[in-house]
Amino acid sequence: MKKYKLLILALGLVSLKASAQLGKPKETFTRADTLRGDLTTPLRTCYDIGYYHLDVKFDIDHKFISGSTLFKFAATQDFTKLQFDLFANLKVEKVVYKGQELPYTREFNAVFVTFPTTIAKGNKDEFTVYFSGNPIIAKNAPWDGGIVFKADSLGNPWVATACQGMGASVWWPNKDQQADEVDSALISISVPTGLQDVSNGRLRKVTDLGNGYTRYDWFVANPINNYDIEANIGKYTHFNDTYDGEKGKLTLDYWVLSYNLEKAKKQFGENVKDMIKAFEHWFGPYPFYEDGYKLIEAPHLGMEHQSGTAYGNHFINGYLGRDLSGTGWGLKWDFIIVHESGHEWFGNNITSKDLADMWIHESFTNYSESLFVEQRYGKQAGQEYVHGTRMNIVNDRPIVGTYGVNKEGSGDMYYKGGNLLNMVRTIINDDEKWRNILRGLNKTFYHQTVTYDDIVDYISDQSGKNLKPVFDQYLHYKNIPILEFMVIRGKLNCRWQADAKGFNMPVRVKVKGGDYHFIQPTTWFRPITITNAAKDNIEVDTFNYYIGVLVD
């Protein structure tokens, strides 16, 4: 049957083979990468961060910042020296502990502080870092990271931070790793009087400093990622609403440029409550009721800043007016509101310890888009949406990055990751069980940092199926598996061609005109037991499975 000779969806293997032929050199990493990404060095594991008070003044005219970070921590072992992080272009003015300045050294973007006496295991203590300088200016936020210095259409200053991946130490001193989140934080941002700052959590106080600056104090009552902590500075206007959710009334606060107020009211009104309804249904309660939900208009496309999502989609549907699925469904809702808010559950509530596992954030959040579509327009629409996103998959390299060097994997973590999760749902074949797994993830790992094994083991355990080889194939290898059919001694056999050890993914097949049946091929040819199955009439569910099919 010629049309089944080789069916590869989304040109997966074509790009994959071309990439292999190029013989790309193996990536190398530096001492600086290790200092930034190693989660296991005693200089970082010796202290557990519990609280930050970040206090930063923005001199917008000179693109200059200055301020301090108070570190409150608990000692996990006896130590006299620790590491914190601050980009080398920013100056450490001093490090103060119990009223005295501490000696420190710098290596790349890491700072090493020596204490006068041993800090004993179990003790709670604190120190303050004072700093200043001209931070890195983001050239193409949110992708390259740094601080955005722009002006709105009326010429007013418009400033924002966006530092995922690059790290929060691009603009303030902190223990810059995802594995250690503070329990709470106070964010104090001083801006030229007449402008406003909007940051995470709830506004506690506004203080006129009397020197041409006004300080805005925002408090975050929940654990938060370093890269989520934000400053958004501009001429904002505010409006608000509430949502009756699973944990009670959730406050909805919106901060937009004044001339966009009416557009914002319409766009946010048409998208936000439907989004929260869908995600609470699938994932459980919004994880940060204490801090509320905010959308903040930003001079870049958007970022999942916890309890203060940065929004720059120009109050139009789609992704800047485009449908990333090519199906039409993506033009019926605002991509940035839905996607970035989905990160409140996957990325902010559940956070990967190492950037190499950023798929935990992006694959689930990409998949959340299809669940939103399903909740609003029905299951078939959601399935069509996730299937349509395959056109964006490139199969260039593994989705899991390199551990210990702050290196994420392939951008396929979005679309290929979303399709992987939809396949897992198909394999489980019980939508209520799948929903309970998604909700269970957010309950079991509530406000926690996690590893690859935490997530994959949980899904396997709760589903009652060993899905580890499936995740292994799609996340650790760039190849997609190929389901190969061959007639052997008059009977139709099949097997998987795959990289993952023990790959045996259940897959739906049918005889043309009949119903789908699950079969569970291995990497060895085995007969297909479906009545009348032949190579000319066998059909594979390539709508729900992102695989190759080969009929010999």
Side-chain angles (χ1 to χ4, degrees), residues 36 85-92 106 108-111 132 136 165-173 176:
R36 173 70 174 83
D85 305 281
L86 183 68
F87 269 50
N89 59 294
L90 296 176
K91 180 183 179 182
V92 175
R106 301 200 68 165
F108 301 106
N109 299 325
V111 183
S132 64
I136 291 173
M166 177 176 278
S169 56
V170 73
W171 72 282
W172 60 281
D176 204 354

Side-chain angles (χ1 to χ4, degrees), residues 295-543:
L295 282 177
I296 308 160
E297 189 176 1
H300 59 82
L301 182 59
M303 178 56 67
E304 65 264 24
H305 296 140
Q306 182 175 307
S307 72
T309 298
Y311 173 85
N313 204 40
H314 305 311
F315 310 100
I316 57 176
N317 283 349
Y319 177 97
L320 294 174
R322 294 166 47 216
D323 177 7
L324 296 179
S325 75
T327 63
W329 293 115
L331 293 177
K332 297 179 179 294
W333 44 279
D334 191 308
F335 177 91
I336 292 299
I337 292 175
V338 172
H339 178 88
E340 302 302 347
S341 299
H343 278 302
E344 294 282 42
W345 285 264
F346 291 98
N348 300 345
N349 184 40
I350 301 173
T351 305
S352 66
K353 290 182 182 291
D354 195 298
L355 194 68
D357 284 322
M358 190 58 71
W359 69 273
I360 295 170
H361 301 200
E362 300 299 351
S363 298
F364 281 94
T365 303
N366 175 272
Y367 179 62
S368 78
E369 299 161 22
S370 67
L371 294 180
F372 170 82
V373 172
E374 176 173 335
Q375 192 74 5
R376 195 183 247 193
Y377 302 109
K379 183 174 181 179
Q380 182 61 26
Q383 296 293 293
E384 290 172 5
Y385 178 86
V386 71
H387 180 271
T389 64
R390 293 182 194 174
M391 65 180 179
N392 303 305
I393 300 172
V394 295
N395 290 315
D396 58 342
R397 57 196 174 100
I399 286 173
V400 172
T402 305
Y403 291 100
V405 290
N406 200 55
K407 180 67 175 179
E408 64 188 53
S410 170
D412 279 347
M413 69 179 75
Y414 292 84
Y415 311 107
K416 190 175 180 179
N419 275 271
L420 164 62
L421 293 171
N422 193 59
M423 283 192 295
V424 170
R425 175 188 186 175
T426 303
I427 294 166
I428 291 173
N429 197 32
D430 183 333
D431 285 351
E432 191 57 27
K433 177 181 281 190
W434 179 232
R435 175 173 171 252
N436 287 334
I437 288 171
L438 295 174
R439 290 176 65 95
L441 283 167
N442 279 279
K443 183 177 181 180
T444 300
F445 302 110
Y446 182 73
H447 292 177
Q448 292 181 36
T449 60
V450 299
T451 66
Y452 175 101
D453 288 338
D454 289 333
I455 299 302
V456 174
D457 288 352
Y458 181 88
I459 295 173
S460 286
D461 292 345
Q462 295 300 311
S463 67
K465 299 178 183 292
N466 180 18
L467 297 167
K468 296 176 186 179
V470 178
F471 281 96
D472 187 21
Q473 178 66 43
Y474 283 87
L475 297 176
H476 286 121
Y477 301 93
K478 66 181 182 179
N479 299 351
I480 59 173
I482 298 173
L483 186 61
E484 181 182 7
F485 292 90
M486 179 180 289
V487 176
I488 301 175
R489 292 189 288 276
K491 285 185 118 0
L492 185 63
N493 285 244
C494 73
R495 70 173 179 183
W496 284 114
Q497 295 181 18
D499 303 287
K501 183 178 180 180
F503 188 78
N504 61 347
M505 179 169 69
V507 62
R508 299 196 332 154
V509 300
K510 68 179 180 180
V511 170
K512 186 180 294 185
D515 296 326
Y516 277 115
H517 300 271
F518 278 100
I519 62 173
Q520 190 161 356
T522 67
T523 53
W524 298 89
F525 276 116
R526 289 182 178 176
I528 293 175
T529 58
I530 300 173
T531 303
N532 297 324
K535 72 175 186 178
D536 291 329
N537 67 11
I538 196 75
E539 295 184 359
V540 182
D541 181 8
T542 52
F543 182 78

Side-chain angles (χ1 to χ4, degrees), residues 210-237:
N211 59 354
Y213 280 81
T214 300
R215 187 179 68 232
Y216 291 81
D217 293 329
W218 295 83
F219 184 73
V220 180
N222 290 288
I224 187 168
N225 311 331
N226 291 339
Y227 73 78
D228 271 340
I229 290 178
E230 64 185 326
N232 297 280
I233 302 164
K235 283 253 185 182
Y236 286 115
T237 189

